Structures are given as C-alpha cells and as structure tokens.
Amino acid sequence: MICSIVNELYNVGSRRFQVIHAQLRMGCSVLAKHLCDIHVKDSPLCYACSKVEDCKHFFLDCSLYTSARKKLSEDLSVIGSLNIDILLYGDPYLSLKENSSIFVAVHKYIDNTGRFDT
C-alpha cells in the first residue's frame, strides 16, 4: 500500500507555475546552480552579476529582478521581510488561505522576471 501526504498548498495556481515552483524547491530548475549541480552547466554563476544563481539569489538578490522583487515585497508586505523558506515552502504558522496568497505572489514574481520563459 502506498501512502502519501499531499500538501494542498502545492496545488495553488496554474500548473506551469506549480511545476517551476516545485523545481525550485527540489533544486532542479534552470537556475545556473541547479544546472551546475547536475553537470549540465560548467558554472553556477549568474550571467548578470557573477554570483551563485540559486533560489536565494533569484528571489532576494539578483539585480536583474529589482522591479519584480519590489512588487513581490509589496504583495507580501503583511509577512514582513522576504524569507526564502517561506517563498519556497510557505509558513507553517499561517493558514492555507494565507499561504496560498504567498504562493500566488511568488508565481507572479516568477512570471514577471521572465527567467523561466522558454
């Protein structure tokens, strides 16, 4: 018998952004660090600022996404400062509705950056 627990939060939003968000959580996205980890890319560095392009860099630091980050920060002003764990996994102290709002804002950020456009 296979038993699994499904986090309802991971079903929030469109399938496209659910997948990208899951890839970011699992470390298997198209970010340079993730591609470097699986030997697809030689360098984990961001092409724009030469710092390691991981989830923290993508969401909180990269100069390419300053305007998108400002909008994300405004959308999530109720949670205070942006935190990579909350952006990726939600906050266990918040309701599903509140966490869903976080994930919707994260998906909007992902879309606004254009980083995962094919």
Side-chain angles (χ1 to χ4, degrees), residues 70-82 102 105:
K70 181 179 178 193
K71 177 66 175 140
L72 175 65
S73 185
E74 290 168 2
D75 289 347
L76 299 178
S77 62
V78 294
I79 66 165
S81 63
L82 298 180
I102 292 170

Side-chain angles (χ1 to χ4, degrees), residues 84-97:
I84 191 63
D85 290 329
I86 291 173
L87 296 176
L88 291 176
Y89 302 100
D91 187 330
Y93 299 105
L94 297 177
S95 69
L96 176 61
K97 183 178 179 180

Side-chain angles (χ1 to χ4, degrees):
M1 172 188 266
I2 297 175
C3 182
S4 64
I5 298 172
V6 176
N7 186 335
E8 291 179 58
L9 185 57
Y10 296 163
N11 291 319
V12 169
S14 73
R15 182 75 178 140
R16 176 175 183 257
F17 293 110
Q18 290 171 3
V19 169
I20 294 168
H21 205 169
Q23 290 170 336
L24 289 165
R25 279 193 296 276
M26 294 183 288
C28 61
S29 74
V30 297
L31 295 180
K33 169 78 167 82
H34 297 165
L35 293 176
C36 187
D37 287 348
I38 61 170
H39 309 289
V40 171
K41 193 170 182 178
D42 292 332
S43 172
L45 302 181
C46 174
Y47 71 91
C49 54
S50 297
K51 295 184 179 166
V52 174
E53 187 191 32
D54 57 9
C55 290
K56 182 181 177 299
H57 178 74
F58 171 67
F59 281 107
L60 305 177
D61 301 324
C62 189
S63 60
L64 288 176
Y65 311 123
T66 301
S67 61
R69 185 175 307 106
K70 181 179 178 193
K71 177 66 175 140
L72 175 65
S73 185
E74 290 168 2
D75 289 347
L76 299 178
S77 62
V78 294
I79 66 165
S81 63
L82 298 180
N83 172 308
I84 191 63
D85 290 329
I86 291 173
L87 296 176
L88 291 176
Y89 302 100
D91 187 330
Y93 299 105
L94 297 177
S95 69
L96 176 61
K97 183 178 179 180
E98 292 166 317
N99 275 305
S100 294
S101 296
I102 292 170
F103 271 39
V104 166
V106 166
H107 294 177
K108 190 183 334 179
Y109 174 82
I110 291 168
D111 190 30
N112 288 342
T113 66
R115 176 63 178 87
F116 298 89
D117 294 349
T118 54

